[in-house]
C-alpha cells in the first residue's frame, strides 16, 4: 500500500491507514494494514504496522482513514506527517 511521490528532496513514501489513537497533542498513532501472500503456502497474511504521525492542527480523530507522508525525524518516534483526512469515522 506504499506509494512514492517525487518532490524536490527526493522520493517520499505515502501510506493510507486508520487512526488508532488520538490521545496525544499533535500526535496520532496510525495503523497501516497490509495483505501479503505467503511465498510458500500461498495464503494471504495480514500484517499491521503502527506509525506515530505529526498532526499540527489536531484534525484527525480515532477511526478516521488518513493519508500520511514520510518526513524528516520530528522526534524520537515521529517520522511521518498527516497529509489529509480521507474519510471521517462515524
Amino acid at each position: 500500500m506504499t506509494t512514492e511521490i517525487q518532490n524536490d528532496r527526493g522520493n517520499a513514501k505515502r501510506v493510507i491507514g486508520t487512526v488508532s489513537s488520538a490521545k496525544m497533542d499533535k500526535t496520532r498513532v496510525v495503523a497501516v494494514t497490509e495483505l501479503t501472500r505467503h511465498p510458500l503456502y500461498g495464503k494471504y497474511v495480514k500484517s499491521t504496522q503502527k506509525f506515530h504521525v505529526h498532526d499540527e492542527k489536531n484534525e484527525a480523530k480515532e477511526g478516521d482513514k488518513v493519508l500520511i507522508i514520510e518526513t524528516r525525524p520530528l522526534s524520537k518516534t515521529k517520522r511521518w506527517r498527516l497529509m489529509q483526512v480521507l474519510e471521517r469515522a462515524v
Side-chain angles (χ1 to χ4, degrees):
M1 195 67 185
T2 304
T3 59
E4 291 187 12
I5 59 168
Q6 183 71 32
N7 60 15
D8 57 342
R9 295 184 183 194
N11 293 334
K13 294 177 185 169
R14 294 193 312 171
V15 179
I16 296 173
T18 307
V19 178
S20 60
S21 173
K23 295 176 182 176
M24 296 172 273
D25 186 35
K26 295 188 180 182
T27 303
R28 303 291 178 255
V29 178
V30 176
V32 177
T33 304
E34 189 175 34
L35 275 178
T36 55
R37 192 177 169 101
H38 192 279
L40 179 62
Y41 300 113
K43 180 179 179 177
Y44 285 97
V45 181
K46 188 193 299 188
S47 61
T48 303
Q49 203 172 5
K50 289 184 178 181
F51 298 107
H52 284 83
V53 177
H54 184 66
D55 182 7
E56 185 65 36
K57 300 173 187 168
N58 286 326
E59 58 184 338
K61 306 296 179 204
E62 243 179 88
D64 289 352
K65 191 174 182 183
V66 294
L67 176 68
I68 60 176
I69 187 167
E70 193 176 36
T71 185
R72 65 182 176 82
L74 299 170
S75 71
K76 181 180 175 183
T77 56
K78 282 200 283 187
R79 270 90 171 118
W80 294 82
R81 208 178 48 220
L82 179 73
M83 247 184 117
Q84 73 182 88
V85 177
L86 301 174
E87 224 175 84
R88 292 279 180 195
V90 178

